[in-house]
Amino acid sequence: QTEQMVDFVQWMHDYNLTAKEEDKIYFYGNDMQRYDDSKKGLLDYYADVDAETAKQYTAQLEHVSNKTMRDLSNSQLVELDKTIDAIIKDLQSNKEAYEKKSSKDAFSFAAQYAQILKQRTQLFLNDGNYMNLRDEYLAKNLQWIVDLEATKGHDKVLMSGHNGHIDKTSATMAGYKSMGQYLNEHYKDQYFAIGTDFVTNTFQAPNGSGERKEYTIEHHNALVDAFSDIHDNIFYVDFENASQSEELSNILTKEQRMGNIGDDFRPWYKLTKMLYTIKMTPADAYDGLIIVQEATPTKVTD
């Protein structure tokens, strides 16, 4: 929903027009906070492999959408969860037959759509554990993407996300286990986390009423200040290389407050660093850091 993301996807499209098949880039989402696209993908698949079953599940999922999901009662969510379990069981039981009518890839996507619907429903049924569950699901879904890409001969996946999800140490004050910690435990050295930090940051965020406004924050810590003489507005610090300097090594292993701005932001958040930073040890949380001296806001599209 921003011009920058549209430009990014357009670049990927244009690159793929001339890239060899094995070099093409694929774009995935691993979040599960919506119903509509996963529901459509699942039902479209059923329409291809079993028309009668497609009609049955279309009727059972008719009341579920992005617009209605927050209005579902707990009993409706429980019934929805049972329906999705039945769908998952049907897919598992008829895997061979369905794959013959479609393909292994198509079946794999359909099964993942069902899992995402299940995850979204579980988030509503376990609202008190929402943040913990979400990051666990984020990690599982990313692992699914990694495994799928491995079948295509691709051994790398680039994941873009908020520092609070990428971080390997679950440093956020919200107290949940981050996606980055799950990935670090699973992939060990194969998970390479790149965080971001800033000096002056102008950004857009809802102010509680849903209206987006621009805010500006100036932020300093030992790490970003160590590079104050750098003239480039955006630059990358590789922690392994930086650690060869005793001075930088001491900074990287020192706990400090690093930038952490979420989508929602209120004017009074600017009054205390605790509301727009996280206390963490850079070398433990990340493998590298992109520093932006002066950040400008994205442009939201309609």
Side-chain angles (χ1 to χ4, degrees):
Q1 293 180 319
T2 66
E3 289 184 8
Q4 289 79 5
M5 184 57 75
V6 171
D7 289 344
F8 177 52
V9 175
Q10 184 65 54
W11 176 88
M12 292 175 62
H13 168 270
D14 295 345
Y15 168 86
N16 280 349
L17 287 176
T18 57
K20 295 178 181 178
E21 190 62 35
E22 64 269 21
D23 293 333
K24 287 185 178 180
I25 300 171
Y26 295 84
F27 188 89
Y28 301 87
N30 71 321
D31 213 337
M32 71 310 297
Q33 294 190 110
R34 304 289 186 273
Y35 275 117
D36 290 359
D37 289 335
S38 295
K39 173 183 167 181
K40 182 180 185 303
L42 177 65
L43 294 178
D44 284 352
Y45 179 78
Y46 266 111
D48 289 338
V49 298
D50 190 331
E52 286 303 312
T53 304
K55 290 179 183 178
Q56 173 190 338
Y57 290 141
T58 297
Q60 290 180 328
L61 296 175
E62 186 177 10
H63 65 298
V64 182
S65 72
N66 293 342
K67 289 184 178 180
T68 64
M69 59 188 185
R70 296 186 184 281
D71 298 325
L72 298 178
S73 66
N74 193 74
S75 60
Q76 286 177 310
L77 288 169
V78 170
E79 284 305 309
L80 172 60
D81 196 53
K82 290 178 181 177
T83 297
I84 298 170
D85 280 342
I87 292 172
I88 292 171
K89 184 177 180 180
D90 177 76
L91 287 167
Q92 291 171 342
S93 301
N94 296 286
K95 179 179 179 181
E96 186 176 349
Y98 288 163
E99 284 184 345
K100 284 182 178 179
K101 292 182 178 181
S102 57
S103 69
K104 288 188 175 182
D105 266 7
F107 177 87
S108 181
F109 271 93
Q112 181 65 3
Y113 290 142
Q115 289 295 337
I116 291 171
L117 290 174
K118 171 81 173 177
Q119 291 170 359
R120 183 52 176 149
T121 307
Q122 282 296 310
L123 287 181
F124 278 114
L125 286 170
N126 296 275
D127 193 52
N129 198 33
Y130 188 103
M131 299 180 82
N132 268 310
L133 272 179
R134 184 186 171 205
D135 269 60
E136 181 183 352
Y137 294 153
L138 285 172
K140 285 182 177 179
N141 293 343
L142 187 56
Q143 288 171 39
W144 179 84
I145 294 167
V146 170
D147 292 343
L148 180 69
E149 281 300 301
T151 67
K152 302 176 185 292
H154 300 152
D155 61 356
K156 289 185 177 65
V157 170
L158 174 66
M159 163 71 194
S160 176
H162 188 275
N163 281 345
H165 296 305
I166 299 296
D167 161 39
K168 295 191 286 187
T169 60
S170 302
T172 174
M173 289 178 63
Y176 63 89
K177 184 175 178 179
S178 67
M179 175 191 71
Q181 185 171 345
Y182 282 110
L183 296 175
N184 190 53
E185 291 172 355
H186 183 78
Y187 291 110
K188 312 296 183 188
D189 291 342
Q190 289 182 297
Y191 176 60
F192 193 91
I194 302 174
T196 56
D197 213 337
F198 59 87
V199 178
T200 302
N201 189 358
T202 301
F203 58 94
Q204 283 192 5
N207 60 0
S209 65
E211 180 185 357
R212 288 189 172 273
K213 291 189 174 183
E214 287 190 4
Y215 302 92
T216 300
I217 282 178
E218 185 172 339
H219 159 67
H220 293 275
N221 59 34
L223 183 53
V224 298
D225 287 349
F227 296 93
S228 58
D229 291 338
I230 299 292
H231 296 299
D232 293 337
N233 187 46
I234 303 174
F235 56 94
Y236 172 67
V237 181
D238 181 84
F239 287 178
E240 185 176 358
N241 289 336
S243 294
Q244 295 177 23
S245 159
E246 183 178 353
E247 180 183 357
L248 288 176
S249 179
N250 289 336
I251 292 173
L252 289 170
T253 54
K254 175 185 176 183
E255 190 177 61
Q256 56 202 279
R257 290 206 164 272
M258 304 187 70
N260 180 58
I261 297 172
D263 182 55
D264 190 30
F265 195 88
R266 315 296 171 88
W268 54 272
Y269 284 11
K270 297 172 65 174
L271 298 177
T272 173
K273 276 192 170 186
M274 289 180 63
L275 296 175
Y276 60 85
T277 62
I278 298 179
K279 186 178 283 188
M280 60 170 64
T281 303
D284 294 338
Y286 307 123
D287 298 285
L289 192 72
I290 296 171
I291 298 178
V292 182
Q293 306 266 31
E294 187 173 349
T296 54
T298 54
K299 295 181 180 179
V300 179
T301 59
D302 293 332

